[in-house]
Amino acid sequence: MCLVQPALAKDIKDGDRWSIAIHGGAGTINRDKITLQQDAEIRAALRKALEAGSDVLRKGGSGMDAITASIMILEDDPNFNAGKGAVFTWDKTNELDSSIMDGSNLSAGAVAGINGTKNPILLARAVKDKSPHVMLSGAGANQFSREQGLEQVPPEYYATPYRLKQIEDVLAKKVSVKDVDYKFGTVGAVAMDKAGNMAAGTSTGGMTGKRWGRIGDSPIIGAGTYADNRSCAVSATGDGEYFIRVGVAHEICTRIRMRWPIAIEEAQKSVPKNADGNYTYTIHASEFMLSDEEVHEIADEVIAEMGNLGGTGGIIFATPWGQAGYSFNTPGMYRGRATSEGVMGVSIYGDEE
Ligand code: ASP
């Protein structure tokens, strides 16, 4: 834990701070599996998405608009398993999942097993803003999308030769989705805007060869996506079944929220008392923050618990204190982060920052 420098507390109140983190999936992403061209293409796409989101935040736009802008760019990029480039189901169709959450009021929207919508994140957002529900699925969600006037695409829009080859491999070998490493490439973004509002969103095609209407963690609020102004914003990627069982995104936010008042209380104890036995100074929440290390520790703990069950993957987070970071137990995760303090970078492999 650490006390915020007075200047930092002032900055927060003045509304100058913002942060954003994005991901494009986690997995067995090793240097020997990725060509130099893929490496360059993915970094360029991550940079473009990060820039788009940062631009919104820099200009004073909302975290919700920032993450939507970033996610749409990654959905439109065929290198990622979301929107164009989504993986195929066992029946060689695409069933897309997405969710979004606004930490200022805990409003949320999600869609599962959809197709026809060009940008699933826009449909999740429409469910949040324009319907009385949190989650819609399948044909009903597709109908809602058309009624909302969202851009529609033909079923073949999502297909890429790379994803077709993957499903053909799976079908030829008759292997289970769990036996292949073709599931990664999910995209997500989290942000804190200048008003201090947290936002999180995730979008995916799910797992190659999924069947029986399987739905992963990405559209499940609390598992793959969560945002709460009192704690953090999280978007996940990885073996969805494990993220659902641990409720990873909500679990990280809850641990931050619970540790936060305890940390204030502990810091208060270090303040000297006067002759009457009263504290000479009362610590106010706006002067206080969890340190980068503490937030990482909490995220790492939850990822380790998910890993102990047998799951792999990772998360990105943003905090109300302007931090943005990652935690993952895979060799790599496509990721990027930017903050008002000048942090701006994208990375792929586990040994990069
Ligand atoms: N979490 C996604 C799912 O289980 C897949 C991924 O993130 O790669 O559907």
Side-chain angles (χ1 to χ4, degrees), residues 33-100:
K33 283 199 177 167
I34 296 188
T35 64
L36 283 176
Q37 192 192 334
Q38 281 172 325
D39 182 299
E41 268 181 35
I42 285 163
R43 284 180 203 267
L46 290 170
R47 232 172 264 124
K48 190 174 160 201
L50 195 59
E51 267 303 334
S54 302
D55 212 41
V56 173
L57 296 168
R58 213 176 280 126
K59 291 180 179 147
S62 72
M64 292 295 286
D65 286 347
I67 62 161
T68 303
S70 294
I71 291 173
M72 282 176 71
I73 286 172
L74 298 173
E75 283 180 338
D76 291 346
D77 190 309
N79 284 301
F80 301 96
N81 172 19
K84 186 158 188 66
V87 299
F88 282 94
T89 67
W90 189 262
D91 299 318
K92 285 203 188 171
T93 59
N94 299 108
E95 293 177 358
L96 301 113
D97 302 332
S98 182
S99 64
I100 195 162

Side-chain angles (χ1 to χ4, degrees), residues 183-186 204 206-207 214 216-218 237-238 240:
K183 50 192 174 292
F184 300 111
T186 291
T204 188
M207 288 186 168
R214 179 264 184 193
D217 60 315
S218 308
T237 176

Side-chain angles (χ1 to χ4, degrees), residues 139-162:
N142 296 336
Q143 185 188 337
F144 179 73
S145 174
R146 292 189 297 272
E147 285 173 13
Q148 290 300 315
L150 296 183
E151 186 175 351
Q152 302 294 305
V153 288
E156 57 278 12
Y157 164 79
Y158 307 108
T160 62
Y162 176 63

